[in-house]
């Protein structure tokens, strides 16, 4: 039998991973099977997937309905190009379904293969929109610090986490960042966006993009009414507002889309991840009727943008079945109910352990911060790397989770599948309590009493 760990070291360059760690320690786990909220590795150990892998396995692992949908579509029409106005039934029906689910007035969809492509496509469509309207100087995009929008060239530039820029010294002109108001202790104000607009010149700003909840930045939740103020600011300056729903879409936050919590309608919305629950790559951009009308009336010739797999019929068929399951099984409501239950558990842990700071949860998207002093929010020294220690302790106890340690933060992120039940929530809470307690004991006198 082949040694998969050695083959992994030799041939597989992992995304967002330490190459050195991979070579020295081997793969953390090689997953073999998935069933519901569980993953099982090649050595037979079973884990609770408390991150839905990458925020995306919304309906859980091992759903045969999606495999059957893919099989049926592949046997009929596995792939057909959507270039040059060719089309296919699953892509048309999925576009219709997404328009039905989207906020009022967003009715036209451009398909991609994932979130990075979706945001890159949004930026190109935005610049094209302003160009054909006769305002080509409107080409700058405002994003937020600590926001994450992907790792393609433009989406990397929009991402507000410098480590992603530094990896290849790669950013492109036209992307500027305002202060994030999402963190504890910051003033809930849109003044930073206004200052960027005035500094760069309002006539040069094309759009503002933000996640309803910043995911990779640490599950950072905006202040109440923040997006209502953003919507008004964008209207005042004539700027397009883009909601990045790649993580927050399709029930993750207890609403179909995250921005619904704010009661605000964007001009454009990007999506991926939960649209297929990760069973097959798919993403897209939904645009408002106002934008679509300009594209229809003023575009001439070919729209020179598209991906080989834009409107992939098999991916679209899987997405349709996935959305059907989300709706039929009431998973949006379950996300809200089980998220409330998980938050209760987090709050109980906070009352019992000295290193737990802020805890938060919106639907089934949440986080726990680890701090030296919860009263003052004093953080641990960066060299301690407390969150990764908890992640390792959770892994030992059979829970897959994710740490965020940007800017000296120690944050544990959670996004379990939307099918999770109360007993499974309590299991996560128990294992989390045990893991955090074990790390607190390791830290000893470094913890404020």
């Amino acid at each position: 039998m082949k040694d998969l760990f050695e083959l992994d070291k030799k041939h597989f360059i992992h995304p967002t991973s330490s190459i050195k760690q991979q070579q020295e320690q081997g793969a953390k786990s090689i997953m073999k099977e998935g069933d519901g909220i569980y993953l099982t590795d090649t050595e037979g150990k079973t884990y609770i997937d408390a991150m839905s892998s990458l925020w995306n396995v919304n309906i859980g692992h091992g759903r045969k309905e999606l495999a059957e949908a893919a099989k049926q579509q592949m046997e009929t029409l596995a792939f057909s190009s959507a270039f040059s106005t060719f089309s296919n039934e699953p892509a048309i029906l999925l576009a219709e379904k997404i328009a039905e689910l989207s906020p009022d007035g967003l009715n036209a969809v451009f398909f991609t293969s994932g979130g990075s492509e979706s945001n890159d496509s949004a930026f190109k469509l935005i610049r094209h929109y302003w160009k054909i309207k006769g305002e080509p100087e409107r080409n700058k995009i405002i994003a937020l610090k600590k926001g994450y929008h992907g790792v393609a060239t433009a989406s990397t530039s929009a991402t507000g986490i410098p480590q992603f820029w530094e990896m290849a010294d790669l950013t492109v002109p036209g992307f500027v960042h305002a202060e994030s108001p999402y963190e504890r202790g910051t003033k809930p104000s849109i003044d930073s966006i206004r200052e960027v607009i005035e500094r760069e010149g309002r006539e040069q700003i094309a759009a503002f993009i933000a996640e309803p909840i910043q995911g990779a930045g640490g599950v950072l939740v905006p202040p109440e009414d923040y997006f209502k103020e953003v919507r008004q600011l964008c209207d005042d300056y004539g700027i397009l507002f883009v909601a990045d729903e790649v993580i927050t879409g399709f029930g993750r936050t207890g609403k179909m889309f995250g921005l619904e919590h704010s009661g605000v309608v964007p001009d454009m919305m990007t999506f991926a991840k939960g649209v297929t629950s990760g069973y097959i790559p798919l993403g897209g951009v939904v645009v408002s009727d106002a934008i679509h009308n300009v594209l229809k009336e003023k575009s001439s010739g070919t729209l020179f943008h598209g991906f080989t797999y834009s409107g992939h019929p098999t991916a679209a068929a899987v997405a349709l079945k996935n959305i059907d399951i989300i709706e039929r099984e009431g998973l949006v409501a379950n996300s809200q109910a089980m998220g409330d239950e998980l938050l209760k558990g987090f709050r109980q842990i906070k009352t019992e352990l000295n290193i737990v700071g802020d805890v938060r949860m919106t639907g089934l998207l949440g986080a726990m911060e680890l701090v030296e002093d919860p009263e003052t929010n004093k953080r641990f020294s960066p060299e301690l790397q407390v969150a990764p220690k908890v992640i390792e302790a959770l892994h030992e106890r059979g829970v897959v989770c994710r740490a965020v340690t940007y800017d000296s933060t120690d944050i544990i992120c959670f996004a379990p599948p939307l099918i999770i039940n109360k007993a499974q929530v309590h299991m996560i809470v128990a294992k989390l309590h045990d893991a955090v307690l074990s790390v607190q004991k390791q830290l000893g006198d470094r913890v404020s009493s």
Side-chain angles (χ1 to χ4, degrees):
M1 183 176 178
K2 291 183 177 180
D3 187 331
L4 293 178
F5 285 91
E6 288 304 314
L7 290 173
D8 181 84
K9 290 181 183 180
K10 186 175 181 180
H11 298 296
F12 187 3
I13 300 174
H14 287 248
T16 315
S17 301
S18 167
I19 295 175
K20 182 178 180 180
Q21 181 180 340
Q22 177 198 10
Q23 295 304 311
E24 292 178 351
Q25 302 175 20
K28 195 171 187 70
S29 294
I30 299 176
M31 297 304 178
K32 183 179 181 181
E33 297 176 359
D35 181 19
I37 71 163
Y38 300 102
L39 292 166
T40 302
D41 66 19
T42 52
E43 297 181 334
K45 182 173 181 178
T46 296
Y47 303 85
I48 296 172
D49 185 1
M51 274 301 297
S52 296
S53 288
L54 276 177
W55 327 84
N56 61 340
V57 188
N58 287 11
I59 68 167
H61 299 277
R63 300 297 294 257
K64 291 181 171 54
E65 303 99 312
L66 267 61
E68 184 60 32
K71 176 178 180 292
Q72 289 179 6
Q73 185 58 47
M74 285 180 176
E75 290 175 343
T76 304
L77 177 69
F79 175 73
S80 178
S81 169
F83 284 26
S84 303
T85 73
F86 283 91
S87 199
N88 63 80
E89 184 177 0
I92 294 168
L93 295 180
L94 179 59
E96 178 194 35
K97 183 62 181 178
I98 290 174
E100 174 193 316
L101 297 174
S102 296
D104 289 345
L106 274 68
N107 289 300
V109 184
F110 180 92
F111 287 115
T112 71
S113 301
S116 294
E117 286 185 2
S118 295
N119 285 322
D120 265 39
S121 297
F123 302 142
K124 290 179 77 173
L125 289 169
I126 287 164
R127 287 180 171 176
H128 178 65
Y129 166 83
W130 287 113
K131 182 179 178 181
I132 62 177
K133 281 195 72 177
E135 300 181 66
E137 67 281 358
R138 281 191 180 265
N139 56 23
K140 293 183 179 180
I141 309 294
I142 300 175
L144 292 174
K145 294 179 181 179
K146 291 207 171 181
Y148 179 82
H149 302 291
V151 293
T153 301
S155 53
T156 294
S157 301
T159 290
I161 302 170
Q163 287 87 339
F164 287 97
W165 313 332
E166 294 161 1
M167 175 258 168
D169 289 328
L170 177 65
T171 55
V172 295
F175 291 87
V176 289
H177 293 86
E179 296 295 329
S180 172
Y182 293 33
E183 291 187 278
R184 174 181 169 183
T186 58
K187 185 180 179 182
S189 169
I190 58 166
D191 289 345
S192 179
I193 304 171
R194 184 180 288 106
E195 288 167 5
V196 171
I197 295 170
E198 294 296 341
R199 183 187 72 227
E200 300 293 329
R202 64 174 69 192
E203 71 285 349
Q204 294 188 35
I205 305 299
F208 169 80
I209 185 170
E211 303 157 273
I213 295 172
Q214 288 187 325
V219 189
L220 305 176
V221 181
E224 189 176 358
D225 292 334
Y226 176 73
F227 281 114
K228 289 182 180 178
E229 295 177 3
V230 165
R231 175 72 273 180
Q232 187 60 56
L233 182 72
C234 289
D235 290 342
D236 291 345
Y237 283 97
I239 296 167
L240 298 179
F241 173 29
V242 185
D244 180 343
E245 296 269 8
V246 171
I247 288 175
T248 52
F250 300 97
R252 173 56 56 193
T253 69
K255 300 280 188 182
M256 186 57 73
F257 295 103
L259 205 60
E260 291 179 39
H261 290 281
S262 300
V264 168
V265 177
D267 300 295
M268 191 176 283
M269 184 174 75
T270 58
F271 66 88
K273 294 190 185 292
V275 69
T276 63
S277 288
Y279 279 64
I280 198 165
L282 179 67
V285 184
V286 195
V287 304
S288 68
D289 293 338
I291 292 174
H292 194 208
N293 287 337
V294 169
L295 297 177
K296 289 187 290 186
E297 294 167 7
K298 295 184 177 293
S299 285
S300 60
T302 300
L303 179 70
F304 280 99
H305 179 66
F307 305 99
T308 298
Y309 300 122
S310 292
H312 193 294
T314 302
V318 169
L320 283 164
K321 178 56 68 174
N322 176 70
I323 293 170
D324 174 62
I325 290 170
I326 289 173
E327 292 186 314
R328 179 163 35 89
E329 297 186 1
L331 296 186
V332 179
N334 194 64
S335 174
Q336 184 61 58
M338 292 302 100
D340 290 344
E341 193 70 20
L342 192 51
L343 183 58
K344 288 179 187 176
F346 286 4
R347 287 172 172 163
Q348 184 61 37
I349 294 173
K350 178 179 171 65
T351 66
E352 297 174 3
L353 301 180
N354 295 338
I355 64 171
V356 178
D358 187 47
V359 295
R360 49 191 177 269
M361 184 73 60
T362 306
L364 280 169
L365 181 60
M368 172 179 286
E369 296 201 23
L370 306 171
V371 293
E372 185 174 330
D373 187 344
E375 292 299 319
T376 63
N377 203 39
K378 180 183 178 183
R379 295 171 177 172
F380 288 104
S381 300
E383 62 271 13
L384 287 179
Q385 292 283 288
V386 177
K389 286 181 172 65
V390 174
I391 292 297
E392 186 58 37
L394 282 167
H395 191 263
E396 291 170 359
R397 289 159 176 80
V399 179
V400 175
C401 223
R402 180 172 178 171
V404 169
T405 56
Y406 311 125
D407 295 336
S408 302
T409 57
D410 277 293
I411 299 173
I412 311 296
C413 303
F414 297 84
L418 309 188
I419 60 168
I420 196 168
N421 61 40
K422 189 176 288 190
Q424 293 166 337
V425 166
H426 292 168
M427 195 182 307
I428 290 176
V429 171
K431 290 176 181 289
L432 177 61
H433 181 281
D434 193 32
V436 176
L437 178 60
S438 71
V439 172
Q440 181 173 295
K441 289 178 178 178
Q442 291 175 32
L443 294 171
D445 58 9
R446 301 187 196 207
V447 179
S448 299
S449 58

